[in-house]
Amino acid sequence: MKILITGGMGFIGSNFVRLLLAERPEWEIWNVDALTYAGNPENLADVAEAAEARGRYRFVRADIADEAAVQGLLDGGDFDALINFAAESHVDRSILSSAPFVRTNVVGTQILLDSARSAGVKRYVQVSTDEVYGDLGPDDAPFSETTPLAPSSPYSATKAAADHLVLAYHHTHRMDVVVTRCSNNYGPYQFPEKLIPLMIVNAITGKRLPVYGRGENVRDWIHVEDHCRGVLAALERGEPGEVYNFGGASERRNLDVVRAIIGSVGVGEERIEYVTDRPGHDRRYAIDFRRAEAELDWLPTRSFESGLADTVRWYLENREWWARVQDGAYRQSAEMIASWGSAGEPAGA
Ligand code: NAD
Ligand code: DAU
């Protein structure tokens, strides 16, 4: 298999590259990433060089919304599959400015679809989110794959638009596509703007812990490794034109998540600061993933309590990784690797 992954320098994409290097040793992986603020080559620094030397891994810096660059990469590349992780992914940023979200999440997806189709890529996997379904009341049934899409943030609206495009390419052009929709991920290498890593890092560094509203919003939490195994299962066993939900069966109130983190780090509740709520804040997400269980033989394997304890330990043991993100030093790696890997050029060439 020769596969192209977009967004492989981000949180989930880099965990996915690691999974493939470990468990699909014969595959050739191309990692295409624009290295936005969320793209950090240090996420793969310990494995990339050796994999590259064995001819199993290449990094290319390219923007998925740059049609010429994407077409140039895919034409003649003879890729068996394209897995699109690349996105603007943070809801709060989409509230401040939605333009980059439309460009990457919608236009980028359209360009990937058109280029993959004309280059004859055999399978296209779109990594989407449960947020496309909108939100739930306390007693509502969990989201299933047939729940109507009702996105409520600019982020989720762009992800929903992309899902519609991907599924329309299957319907209209008979393209072999699969869409995955997962709940909130946590684990190593998550950018410390998202709830769990932000709270861990702030707890360690003596800062306040900003909880939106009363902390009563509910999310379903899944360890990133379980999500990555789901994406791999969808790639290998998913039905063309099908959608698969993944979840962690771990619904928790935000306040309870923050309390668990401060308990693990060993700081007091007085550090919690209740701040102005996020505009349009979705109340609750919950996932029905029975289709993935039945058709992909997939189930989440990590309990939230042990996964969170491992994640807190990872941030305690990898202080340099997040300190370099916080002080901006990680951008030096991005600029260095970017100067090696421009579109069409292998990193290190
Ligand atoms: P992230 O923000 O950590 O990483 C995104 C990556 O995409 C970065 O490496 C960035 O440089 C790259 N990128 C952004 N714009 C690009 C562009 N125009 N061209 C090429 N690369 C670009 O995101 P994440 O949390 O790892 O999420 C990955 C995917 O999974 C996203 O599609 C997201 O919508 C989806 N998802 C995330 C979660 C979650 O909880 N984080 C849950 C479900 C689905
Ligand atoms: O459900 C999947 C989605 O999960 C993904 O598609 C998104 O890419 C990902 O960012 C995530 O979206 P959320 O908005 O749920 O995640 P975030 O970590 O930003 O927030 C989780 C909850 O915590 C949410 O209810 C808002 C709250 N929150 C968040 C931050 C950053 C706080 O109370 N304080 C904070 O400082």
Side-chain angles (χ1 to χ4, degrees):
M1 284 278 275
K2 181 177 178 187
I3 66 163
L4 189 147
I5 294 168
T6 67
M9 290 301 194
F11 163 49
I12 304 172
S14 64
N15 275 282
F16 189 74
V17 169
R18 271 173 198 282
L19 177 70
L20 293 191
L21 290 174
E23 298 199 0
R24 294 294 180 275
E26 68 287 2
W27 288 16
E28 182 181 340
I29 302 158
W30 285 51
N31 179 1
V32 175
D33 197 299
L35 300 181
T36 68
Y37 80 93
N40 183 354
E42 295 175 15
N43 293 0
L44 288 172
D46 58 325
V47 290
E49 206 176 316
E52 215 176 309
R54 279 180 287 134
R56 294 203 37 221
Y57 173 79
R58 289 175 81 161
F59 170 70
V60 179
R61 188 188 201 185
D63 181 341
I64 62 165
D66 176 343
E67 189 169 6
V70 171
Q71 195 71 64
L73 267 168
L74 287 173
D75 279 346
D78 207 18
F79 289 100
D80 294 294
L82 188 161
I83 307 168
N84 182 25
F85 288 92
E88 288 292 338
S89 68
H90 192 38
V91 173
D92 292 338
R93 287 178 188 261
S94 80
I95 294 167
L96 295 174
S97 167
S98 63
F101 288 75
V102 173
R103 183 173 185 279
T104 289
N105 301 359
V106 184
V107 177
T109 298
Q110 169 256 313
I111 286 171
L112 290 174
L113 285 166
D114 282 335
S115 304
R117 186 167 162 256
S118 79
V121 174
K122 296 184 189 77
R123 166 156 276 204
Y124 178 100
V125 179
Q126 177 75 1
V127 180
S128 186
T129 169
D130 62 349
E131 296 198 13
V132 297
Y133 298 119
D135 73 347
L136 296 168
D139 301 320
D140 290 341
F143 302 128
S144 80
E145 290 84 353
T146 54
T147 302
L149 304 199
S152 41
S153 73
Y155 161 70
S156 55
T158 60
K159 293 294 289 187
D163 285 16
H164 282 310
L165 263 180
V166 172
L167 294 170
Y169 273 58
H170 173 72
H171 186 82
T172 306
H173 300 301
R174 308 318 298 167
M175 205 171 150
D176 181 342
V177 306
V178 179
V179 175
T180 66
R181 296 185 182 139
C182 189
S183 58
N184 285 60
N185 286 220
Y186 66 95
Y189 302 102
Q190 187 167 27
F191 198 88
E193 63 182 354
K194 308 281 167 61
L195 180 73
I196 287 183
L198 180 76
M199 295 297 156
I200 297 173
V201 165
N202 280 10
I204 296 171
T205 53
K207 297 200 184 106
R208 316 286 298 169
L209 310 175
V211 169
Y212 297 165
R214 301 303 307 159
E216 285 179 350
N217 302 63
V218 171
R219 296 291 182 266
D220 170 61
W221 294 97
I222 181 170
H223 193 279
V224 64
E225 278 170 24
D226 277 331
H227 181 195
C228 288
R229 287 185 191 285
V231 173
L232 182 55
L235 168 67
E236 294 184 324
R237 302 192 287 282
E239 276 295 309
E242 201 54 272
V243 177
Y244 295 96
N245 283 353
F246 301 121
S250 297
E251 281 186 63
R252 298 287 185 280
R253 287 190 316 158
N254 291 339
L255 188 54
D256 296 327
V257 172
V258 173
R259 284 186 173 141
I261 291 169
I262 59 182
S264 269
V265 176
V267 302
E269 287 233 1
E270 70 286 353
R271 296 272 294 284
I272 294 176
E273 182 177 19
Y274 295 94
V275 300
T276 309
D277 208 354
R278 171 186 281 176
H281 198 169
D282 284 342
R283 286 159 299 177
R284 173 178 167 240
Y285 305 143
I287 304 284
D288 175 344
F289 50 81
R290 282 176 295 180
R291 177 181 287 170
E293 183 181 3
E295 294 184 21
L296 304 178
D297 196 22
W298 176 92
L299 277 175
T301 62
R302 309 285 302 265
S303 81
F304 182 64
E305 283 62 36
S306 82
L308 186 65
D310 286 353
T311 303
V312 171
R313 196 171 316 114
W314 188 87
Y315 280 84
L316 284 166
E317 288 170 358
N318 291 276
R319 202 181 179 110
E320 197 188 347
W321 178 85
W322 53 262
R324 286 175 59 76
V325 170
Q326 286 199 317
D327 69 17
Y330 78 113
R331 296 310 300 168
Q332 290 161 13
S333 304
E335 290 321 313
M336 190 164 64
I337 197 167
S339 70
W340 298 337
S342 57
E345 295 284 326

